[in-house]
Amino acid sequence: MAARNSERSFGWVTRALHWATALGVLGMLPLGVYVARMEVGYSNLWLFGLHKSIGVTIFALLAVRIVWHVVSPPPPSLPSDVAWKDQAAKWVHRAFYVLLAVVPLSGWVGSGATGLDVLVFNRITLPPLAPVSEAWETTAFGVHWVVTKLLAACAIVHIAGALTRRDGTLARMVKG
């Protein structure tokens, strides 16, 4: 089982990064919906911290994925039976990378604008990315709300595309 990608298959590092990111995103979507509906209080502050910590972890995974793709480029996509599906897959992947950056950054900006520390697993305090400001907070969390919905839509399209392709793409991401 090779760590690096080859011309025909994904290495175990790419697959591990893909599935760790997927699990993080799929777990964060319902957690984010739950956290967004909660009233902030001392009894549930840990859930906000968990949400932020997982978000920062997904952001870090994105950075590692980008570096890894430079070090070990992924194999070329296999052409599908319909050209528009290939183009859609490219644009969904591009959107994923942008959204996986914008979602945590907008949450980080919004959290910092509240004046509360952004703690990662109660160990690391991140510097605020914005001044304490209601305007910054409202704008950043508004952006966060919109881009999380776009990320969820991309996830649905991506999963549907992976399940409907008959060219072995899903098997390559599972088995290498």
Side-chain angles (χ1 to χ4, degrees), residues 19 25 28 34 50 108 139 144 166 171:
W19 291 109
V25 169
M28 281 292 274
Y34 184 74
L50 178 64
W108 187 355
T139 302
H144 192 71
R166 301 200 188 327

Side-chain angles (χ1 to χ4, degrees), residues 37-113:
R37 293 181 178 167
M38 289 185 338
E39 180 132 359
V40 180
Y42 288 116
S43 63
N44 61 13
L45 208 52
W46 70 274
L47 276 173
F48 288 93
L50 178 64
H51 182 75
K52 292 174 190 180
S53 297
I54 296 171
V56 170
T57 302
I58 292 170
F59 187 63
L61 283 170
L62 172 66
V64 171
R65 282 179 78 150
I66 291 169
V67 170
W68 180 250
H69 282 343
V70 171
V71 171
S72 180
S77 297
L78 300 172
S80 70
D81 52 343
V82 184
W84 70 264
K85 287 183 181 181
D86 296 334
Q87 287 301 312
K90 284 180 189 174
W91 283 104
V92 167
H93 279 100
R94 289 174 182 156
F96 259 129
Y97 279 88
V98 170
L99 293 169
L100 286 172
V102 174
V103 169
L105 286 173
S106 61
W108 187 355
V109 168
S111 293

Side-chain angles (χ1 to χ4, degrees), residues 101-166:
V102 174
V103 169
L105 286 173
S106 61
W108 187 355
V109 168
S111 293
T114 66
L116 297 174
D117 285 338
V118 178
L119 290 172
V120 181
F121 296 113
N122 286 330
R123 299 273 185 235
I124 301 167
T125 303
L126 298 179
L129 296 180
V132 176
S133 160
E134 191 173 325
W136 274 92
E137 177 185 351
T138 302
T139 302
F141 284 136
V143 168
H144 192 71
W145 188 88
V146 170
V147 294
T148 56
K149 304 321 169 261
L150 292 173
L151 183 62
C154 277
I156 291 167
V157 171
H158 181 69
I159 292 166
L163 293 175
T164 59
R165 286 184 76 119
R166 301 200 188 327

